[in-house]
Amino acid sequence: MTLDELRAEVDCGAIDTVLLALTDMQGRLQGKRLTARHFLAEVAEHGAEGCNYLLGVDVDMATVSGYEMFSWERGYGDFVLRPDLDTLRPVHWQEGTVVCLADVAWEDGSDVAVSPRQILRGQLARLAARGWSANAGTELEFLVFRDTYEQAWHKGYREMEPANLYNVDYSLLGTARVEPLMRRIRNSMEAAGMLCEDSKGECNFGQHEINFRYADALRTADQHSIYKNGVKEIAALEGMAITFMAKYDEREGNSCHIHFSLADEQGPLFHRVAASVESFLAGQLAALRELTLLLAPNVNSYKRFAAATFAPTTVAWGLDNRTCALRVVGHGPSLRFENRAGGADLNPYMALSAIVAAGLHGVDQGLELEPVFEGNAYNAQDKPRIPTTLRDARELFAASDIARAALGDDVVAHYVNAADVELEAFAGAVTDWERYRVFERL
């Protein structure tokens, strides 16, 4: 939707609300509901203010210590939400509403360096300096429950009813049980300007996936964030609940596979310039362990990395091999690689930034691509392993010269602190598992 189209919709009474949203460290949309006339008169040109703590809180929106840019001592002032009018689009599932994503800036106009959208813009600028652009597609899995979010809370998120009670991977019969919800999601996202390709069932009970056509990397991250927020809202309207937890239970986890390729002014690059894909892919292998934190940001993320679950454990690449962390697929102009390490809880801006940073490291260092892995990568004994805990990933990221060279010391420190906050909360928690094991038996 253009600004002129929005103005016409407002004048005729069809639109009355604009959601102005930034994407926070956790990949969530945060912001304000503005009257559409106020947005057109003031905010579209000048922006709006938001408390800078939005990029310095934990998952529960609690203010936490350790951030250089945001603290009680600094007063938690404002930054500016600068609308990116290219992202303006209708929110079909909310009456009379559109959404516009914002870049985050300080009052002097400079970027807030730790903002995920600004981080990705910076990495894409590094590609552009070489005459390259990035195309990407994210594949998000999720679990659907017949409980509402309120019922789930009162149950303590236990004994919930999955929308399917058996494996519906590729099943048309099983997915028909949830088709009213899935159809509403597909059609709503199409109405919001996203090119939906398909939906399908997955292995875990109530697990599903909806896929969209690839786009340039920034647009993909934007659509990912809007879609993820919208899916939860639509599920709530249907009296259901959805989770994007990387590992909800002992069965299969929720992944976010990322398909990635490069292009130049002549079009797709990988099939034309073999050296580009080889060094870029070699960089993925070299940097994956150090940058895993940006693909798996939470304690729960690491429960997903289990053998024979279609989640990778081995840093290897293969040709259409789903046991490897990196899978090369497609042919001709569609040649691309798929990063299979990320879970559905990742922040798409940070994950794509990690992929670009890793690839450019490979190009800059002239890394040679190791031989393709054939066979079952879960059984590979001579390959590096993906970190198995958030603490391990945090230590690797904090010590990473690759991360510091690509992202800067301030960004590294900010996201290391986010991991520390998560680890501290985890260390202090008493779990159901502990109560079950110890309450009566010891």
Side-chain angles (χ1 to χ4, degrees):
M1 176 180 285
T2 66
L3 199 60
D4 286 341
E5 289 171 336
L6 172 61
R7 190 171 285 110
E9 291 289 294
V10 173
D11 288 343
C12 74
I15 298 294
D16 55 57
T17 301
V18 177
L19 307 177
L20 183 62
L22 64 85
T23 307
D24 68 7
M25 289 193 298
Q26 289 79 22
R28 305 171 298 189
L29 297 187
Q30 309 284 11
K32 300 179 177 182
R33 281 180 163 81
L34 306 172
T35 62
R37 294 195 183 278
H38 174 61
F39 178 83
L40 289 170
E42 299 288 342
V43 176
E45 181 178 357
H46 302 294
E49 292 73 32
C51 180
N52 61 31
Y53 96 135
L54 289 170
L55 293 175
V57 294
D58 67 6
V59 174
D60 290 323
M61 297 299 291
T63 53
V64 293
S65 62
Y67 291 113
E68 176 66 24
M69 295 184 183
F70 322 106
S71 67
W72 292 114
E73 289 72 24
R74 289 177 174 266
Y76 285 115
D78 282 346
F79 46 39
V80 178
L81 307 184
R82 192 169 55 204
D84 180 349
L85 297 178
D86 288 340
T87 69
L88 191 63
R89 66 184 69 217
V91 178
H92 184 69
W93 54 98
Q94 294 185 24
E95 184 177 358
T97 300
V98 299
V99 63
C100 185
L101 298 185
D103 289 312
V104 188
W106 297 114
E107 290 290 345
D108 64 4
S110 61
D111 286 339
V112 175
V114 301
S115 165
R117 200 166 193 261
Q118 274 41 66
I119 291 170
L120 180 55
R121 279 194 182 277
Q123 296 308 302
L124 296 179
R126 295 178 66 208
L127 285 178
R130 301 165 189 262
W132 295 345
S133 61
N135 290 316
T138 55
E139 299 177 342
L140 269 173
E141 295 175 342
F142 52 85
L143 298 180
V144 182
F145 295 95
R146 297 194 181 278
D147 311 83
T148 67
Y149 283 107
E150 291 73 22
Q151 290 167 339
W153 189 89
H154 285 294
K155 287 183 172 183
Y157 305 100
R158 296 185 294 274
E159 298 181 7
M160 295 172 62
E161 181 184 355
N164 301 96
L165 299 177
Y166 60 93
N167 181 333
V168 296
D169 192 22
Y170 288 97
S171 169
L172 294 178
L173 174 63
T175 53
R177 306 269 183 90
V178 207
E179 178 59 6
L181 171 65
M182 303 304 286
R183 180 175 181 270
R184 184 173 182 180
I185 293 172
R186 291 194 310 269
N187 290 344
S188 294
M189 296 305 148
E190 286 274 354
M194 302 183 199
L195 299 178
C196 184
E197 292 189 340
D198 61 70
S199 63
K200 65 178 288 292
E202 291 289 345
C203 298
N204 201 347
F205 299 160
Q207 190 175 43
H208 295 263
E209 175 182 283
I210 296 177
N211 294 313
F212 299 87
R213 182 173 174 80
Y214 73 89
D216 68 87
L218 183 62
R219 182 179 179 89
T220 289
D222 290 343
Q223 293 186 160
H224 176 120
S225 299
I226 293 169
Y227 161 70
K228 191 172 179 182
N229 191 77
V231 163
K232 293 178 180 179
E233 292 177 347
I234 293 168
L237 292 172
E238 294 284 337
M240 305 174 83
I242 280 173
T243 184
F244 290 94
M245 284 182 66
K247 191 75 167 178
Y248 173 75
D249 57 17
E250 288 75 18
R251 290 182 58 88
E252 295 82 4
N254 288 322
S255 69
C256 178
H257 301 150
I258 300 176
H259 291 251
F260 189 95
S261 65
L262 293 177
D264 61 14
E265 61 182 7
Q266 299 177 46
L269 185 67
F270 282 170
H271 75 293
R272 290 189 288 108
V273 185
S276 67
V277 66
E278 290 180 4
S279 58
F280 204 89
L281 188 56
Q284 304 302 313
L285 295 168
L288 180 57
R289 281 173 47 80
E290 295 178 32
L291 301 181
T292 294
L293 181 66
L294 303 185
L295 294 157
N298 302 302
V299 167
N300 178 258
S301 308
Y302 295 83
K303 304 293 180 68
R304 179 176 152 267
F305 298 132
T309 63
F310 290 101
T313 60
T314 305
V315 181
W317 78 278
L319 295 172
D320 198 14
N321 186 337
R322 285 183 169 86
T323 69
C324 297
L326 296 161
R327 170 180 171 244
V328 174
V329 291
H331 51 82
S334 71
L335 183 66
R336 63 198 184 275
F337 67 83
E338 176 191 45
N339 184 312
R340 297 177 59 80
D345 58 341
L346 60 70
N347 181 323
Y349 301 92
M350 302 308 296
L352 286 166
S353 294
I355 289 173
V356 174
L360 289 180
H361 169 72
V363 172
D364 289 342
Q365 298 299 315
L367 299 183
E368 294 186 6
L369 182 61
E370 64 186 46
V372 61
F373 183 89
E374 297 180 354
N376 185 350
Y378 292 120
N379 295 332
Q381 301 300 315
D382 59 342
K383 296 290 184 184
R385 315 300 285 186
I386 292 176
T388 57
T389 67
L390 178 61
R391 187 172 300 281
D392 289 344
R394 181 259 186 227
E395 296 300 324
L396 287 164
F397 184 71
S400 174
D401 292 335
I402 298 172
R404 293 184 183 279
L407 307 174
D409 291 340
D410 289 345
V411 170
V412 170
H414 197 84
Y415 286 86
V416 165
N417 191 68
D420 288 341
V421 168
E422 174 86 350
L423 287 165
E424 184 178 357
F426 178 65
V430 175
T431 68
D432 287 346
W433 181 85
E434 290 172 280
R435 290 195 182 101
Y436 176 82
R437 298 273 289 184
V438 179
F439 185 86
E440 187 176 348
R441 292 166 177 77
L442 292 178

